Amino acid sequence: QVQLVESGGGLVQAGGSLRLSCAASGSIFSIDAMGWYRQAPGKQRELVARITNGGSTNYADSVKGRFTISRDNAKNTAYLDMNSLKPEDTAVYYCNAAGLSLHLKGIVYWGQGTQVTVSS
């Protein structure tokens, strides 16, 4: 019932910028936190950035100072502004949302992912 739809991925040159968006829709009681994860071929999925309902943020060391996560709680939408992109940022980026179902059960949702490719 809940869908997370990512958009904004694509091909960009090193040093460029992209903005990823993640919109949550469907039947959900509330969303406590939203975040972005990424997974490169042959590597484990890793946390990129996360933001809570109260605005607290957490970033991977590799993206600090370059990426910024934001959230529109009313729209249940998260954004990831990526600047000074590097080839090592190339990965599939997945949106994540943690919240409460209509039965007030804690649940985690994942988007299908959007490809970000950074060329040298």
Side-chain angles (χ1 to χ4, degrees), residues 21-40:
S21 299
C22 174
S25 63
S27 299
I28 187 170
F29 183 77
S30 66
I31 295 177
D32 180 65
M34 299 186 73
W36 291 93
Y37 291 71
R38 68 185 181 187
Q39 187 167 24

Side-chain angles (χ1 to χ4, degrees), residues 9-109:
L11 176 65
V12 65
Q13 294 182 1
S17 300
L18 285 174
R19 190 184 208 195
L20 305 183
S21 299
C22 174
S25 63
S27 299
I28 187 170
F29 183 77
S30 66
I31 295 177
D32 180 65
M34 299 186 73
W36 291 93
Y37 291 71
R38 68 185 181 187
Q39 187 167 24
K43 301 186 69 176
Q44 292 185 310
R45 186 175 299 186
E46 65 174 349
L47 173 69
V48 177
R50 186 174 183 268
I51 185 168
T52 69
N53 192 45
S56 178
T57 59
N58 182 262
Y59 295 93
D61 288 340
S62 60
V63 307
K64 286 182 179 178
R66 298 189 298 120
F67 292 9
T68 302
I69 188 170
S70 60
R71 176 180 175 181
D72 186 331
N73 291 338
K75 297 181 179 180
N76 288 330
T77 301
Y79 306 92
L80 185 67
D81 291 303
M82 304 184 294
N83 301 305
S84 301
L85 283 162
K86 305 174 181 179
E88 50 263 44
D89 294 319
T90 296
V92 177
Y93 284 70
Y94 296 91
C95 182
N96 165 275
L100 296 175
S101 71
L102 295 180
H103 295 289
L104 303 184
K105 178 182 178 181
I107 193 167
V108 176
Y109 302 96

